[in-house]
Amino acid sequence: MDTLADNAEIAGRFAVVANRFCSVVDSASSMEKTDLLLQIYRILPKLIDEAISLPDVKLSDSDDPIEGSGQPAFRARGRQSEQEWGQLYNLLKEQIADWDRYWQVFDPTEDKEALSGTLADDIADIYRDLKEGLVRSEAHQAPPEEIIWSWRLLFYSHWGKHAMDALLAIHFRLQNGAS
């Protein structure tokens, strides 16, 4: 198989798991918090595994970044608006209710003070970073290499930490079976 076909297969495999995650989030308003978090808890390890497996692809010269942003042009076109993100965040915060807030250290190798985190923010940020690649892929508006590049960059620079934090927080919420 050639690299182009390989990248299309890799992007497709990642998209299947990303779509599962986004579908659960899209259904959040009709789910109880325990069911919602249990489904996310089951998908996150698969999503993280697929993200770690994304290859370090190089963009072609025709994929020039948006001037001054360092981002490929397709990235700006598939982005969820702040208003849309805020609506999703508020919905998740309402659904998760008293299980939303948790405590953590930002970098466990450096930091000693605990910070407050929120599952609604983690889930909404993961959703936004995955959804933009899915939208571009489904509309065939970007080649697989660009989408892989974006998903990989966003995993290592942003949503990967959210996924790890959410996984740990959900683990303890479900383990403790609080209210």
Side-chain angles (χ1 to χ4, degrees):
M1 223 193 283
D2 63 23
T3 304
L4 189 59
D6 288 344
N7 287 338
E9 182 181 325
I10 291 164
R13 193 172 54 239
F14 184 86
V16 167
V17 182
N19 266 315
R20 280 184 53 212
F21 178 87
C22 290
S23 292
V24 168
V25 175
D26 287 336
S27 301
S29 64
S30 64
M31 301 173 78
E32 297 291 324
K33 73 178 168 191
T34 305
D35 290 337
L36 172 63
L37 293 179
L38 185 58
Q39 287 194 40
I40 289 172
Y41 185 61
R42 289 178 177 143
I43 296 168
L44 278 178
K46 294 173 180 93
L47 191 59
I48 293 165
D49 181 51
E50 288 295 332
I52 291 169
S53 298
L54 291 171
D56 186 9
V57 297
K58 303 296 180 214
L59 296 180
S60 70
D61 292 338
S62 65
D63 303 322
D64 290 333
I66 298 170
E67 192 172 315
S69 75
Q71 298 175 355
F74 82 88
R75 175 109 197 273
R77 293 191 300 264
R79 193 78 171 156
Q80 183 183 37
S81 74
E82 287 301 315
Q83 182 180 3
E84 292 167 323
W85 182 91
Q87 290 171 341
L88 178 59
Y89 168 79
N90 288 329
L91 168 78
L92 291 167
K93 189 174 178 178
E94 184 178 305
Q95 289 302 103
I96 298 169
D98 58 329
W99 283 15
D100 185 44
R101 287 235 172 257
Y102 62 87
W103 294 95
Q104 62 157 351
V105 291
F106 184 76
D107 178 348
T109 65
E110 298 286 329
D111 299 330
K112 293 178 176 49
E113 290 190 37
L115 304 169
S116 175
T118 119
L119 286 170
D121 179 71
D122 292 333
I123 295 165
D125 277 6
I126 295 166
Y127 179 93
R128 176 175 48 193
D129 287 351
L130 296 177
K131 193 68 170 181
E132 77 180 73
L134 290 170
V135 167
R136 304 289 299 161
S137 178
E138 290 165 5
H140 304 289
Q141 294 176 338
E145 293 76 20
E146 287 184 23
I147 295 165
I148 290 169
W149 182 88
S150 179
W151 275 330
R152 187 175 193 280
L153 172 72
L154 291 170
F155 172 72
Y156 284 104
S157 67
H158 187 243
W159 74 263
K161 175 139 178 35
H162 283 288
M164 303 292 183
D165 293 345
L167 191 59
L168 185 62
I170 294 169
H171 175 81
F172 282 99
R173 289 296 188 192
L174 294 174
Q175 172 189 332
N176 295 335
S179 52

